[in-house]
Amino acid sequence: MWATKIIDFIFDGIASFEGKMQNRMGYLYALLGILTNLLMTWDVKALHNFNPLQLISLRGVISLWMLYPIMAHEEIPFVHDSPPTNRILVIRGVLALLSMPLYIFAVVVLSIAENAVISMLGPPIVGLLCWAFLGEKYTKDNFISAVVSFLGVLCIVKPSLFLIFGTVESQSGPVQQYDDLTVLLARLALILSVIFDAVTSMIMRRLGPSVHTATITAYFCLFVGVFSFAGVIQSGIVNDASPQEWFYIIQYCVAGLLCQIFTARAYAFEKAAKVALVSYLNIIFSYAMDIVLFGATVSPNHIVGVSLIFT
């Protein structure tokens, strides 16, 4: 069948490429994960009228539909041989289920830039968790790199974004007016989502070398697809989506699947502290999007911030 030939061709190509780029694949996959996550953020912004649980359920179901033929052809097990490993996969699925509605709510309310900067609290948390529970080294250099990169993020976004109350504006102007309480709740939701994601990152690092990426991703898709089905029952599958909205929905689902795969592979190849540091590039891509799509201006603090992040 042509489909199986395509799957074989893709897997052979990936295996060959990973073999040649062994020492750099962790960073490359982390970068691809950032780009696909940014695309998801853009899609969620475009679909702000949808119930978050609708989007999450669709993402899980469509991702499983795309994963199944690959796992069946490659004979990748959905259930791992080790019961403790399966329990860890379940915990990871539950954390993902808790994190995603919080994240989508925050993305809808907050600007892309503020979403990126609060998400930057994640890398040091990931590094510390892996140091505490997995015994990975979290050196002074790792800590200094995280602090300098975070200062670069603040330089770009400006500390005013961390005010507890007030209307948030991106570099390209107000995103949408929300009351102070909604903005506060969105910030708190995103911080909680970052903590959940940090724990799942530690779990992916723990599982990465021993569990197939497709198995890790399938557990995630199953949990977010099935247990968010309440949103579909409440609001229907879609709210009379237009063709353009269907495009964003499908793009969101595909980008979400790729983001999960890229992130899991990154933690399979590289230590968590190093992979997490790559995520600071997210703020640069976010502002590049603001500049290209919304006409944001580049100021001296942007240049200083970018320099600190790359340092």
Side-chain angles (χ1 to χ4, degrees):
M1 255 180 95
W2 61 269
T4 58
K5 290 181 179 179
I6 291 176
I7 293 174
D8 288 336
F9 175 78
I10 292 174
F11 268 75
D12 291 343
I14 291 174
S16 175
F17 186 73
E18 287 182 348
K20 293 176 182 178
M21 301 286 290
Q22 182 76 26
N23 296 330
R24 300 176 184 173
M25 286 308 301
Y27 298 107
L28 178 58
Y29 277 128
L31 181 60
L32 291 172
I34 291 171
L35 293 174
T36 48
N37 184 70
L38 190 61
L39 181 59
M40 289 169 56
T41 301
W42 171 254
D43 293 329
V44 170
K45 281 285 189 185
L47 298 167
H48 63 275
N49 291 325
F50 284 79
N51 184 327
L53 291 178
Q54 286 178 303
L55 298 179
I56 295 169
S57 186
L58 283 169
R59 175 181 168 184
V61 171
I62 292 176
S63 295
L64 277 176
W65 176 74
M66 291 188 290
L67 268 179
Y68 175 76
I70 297 174
M71 295 181 71
H73 176 67
E74 296 294 320
E75 298 182 350
I76 301 170
F78 181 81
V79 179
H80 198 268
D81 294 336
S82 169
T85 298
N86 287 321
R87 285 194 289 271
I88 294 174
L89 286 167
V90 169
I91 292 171
R92 195 237 169 192
V94 171
L95 289 173
L97 178 63
L98 294 173
S99 173
M100 288 185 65
L102 297 172
Y103 172 78
I104 291 179
F105 168 63
V107 166
V108 170
V109 174
L110 305 176
S111 69
I112 291 176
E114 185 170 12
N115 172 71
V117 74
I118 295 179
S119 297
M120 292 305 100
L121 296 171
I125 297 176
V126 173
L128 290 172
L129 285 174
C130 289
W131 166 74
F133 294 100
L134 302 183
E136 288 193 355
K137 289 184 179 180
Y138 193 69
T139 65
K140 185 186 296 183
D141 289 341
N142 293 140
F143 179 75
I144 292 173
S145 295
V147 170
V148 171
S149 295
F150 191 73
L151 289 175
V153 170
L154 290 180
C155 231
I156 294 173
V157 179
K158 299 180 183 179
S160 60
L161 286 179
F162 284 99
L163 291 173
I164 295 299
F165 295 102
T167 300
V168 179
E169 295 188 1
S170 69
Q171 293 297 318
S172 53
V175 177
Q176 185 172 342
Q177 298 294 329
Y178 288 96
D179 61 84
D180 293 343
L181 180 60
T182 302
V183 173
L184 173 62
L185 291 175
R187 288 170 176 162
L188 294 176
L190 186 54
I191 291 171
L192 193 57
S193 175
V194 167
I195 294 172
F196 288 153
D197 286 344
V199 177
T200 61
S201 295
M202 178 191 69
I203 290 174
M204 281 193 288
R205 177 57 185 165
R206 162 69 175 79
L207 298 174
S210 59
V211 182
H212 198 284
T213 301
T215 302
I216 297 175
T217 306
Y219 263 85
F220 167 85
C221 296
L222 178 65
F223 269 83
V224 301
V226 173
F227 291 98
S228 61
F229 199 67
V232 175
I233 295 174
Q234 176 187 357
S235 307
I237 297 178
V238 289
N239 299 329
D240 298 323
S242 66
Q244 184 179 24
E245 286 174 326
W246 268 114
F247 171 80
Y248 284 123
I249 290 171
I250 294 172
Q251 184 173 261
Y252 167 74
C253 295
V254 173
L257 175 60
L258 291 176
C259 183
Q260 284 295 312
I261 292 172
F262 292 148
T263 304
R265 293 302 291 162
Y267 284 107
F269 276 93
E270 192 54 78
K271 289 183 178 179
K274 294 182 178 180
V275 171
L277 282 175
V278 178
S279 64
Y280 281 111
L281 295 175
N282 186 30
I283 192 68
I284 297 176
F285 294 130
S286 296
Y287 267 87
M289 178 184 287
D290 265 350
I291 291 168
V292 173
L293 298 179
F294 305 113
T297 56
V298 179
S299 63
N301 63 302
H302 293 161
I303 298 173
V304 173
V306 170
S307 301
L308 288 172
I309 291 171
F310 275 110
T311 299

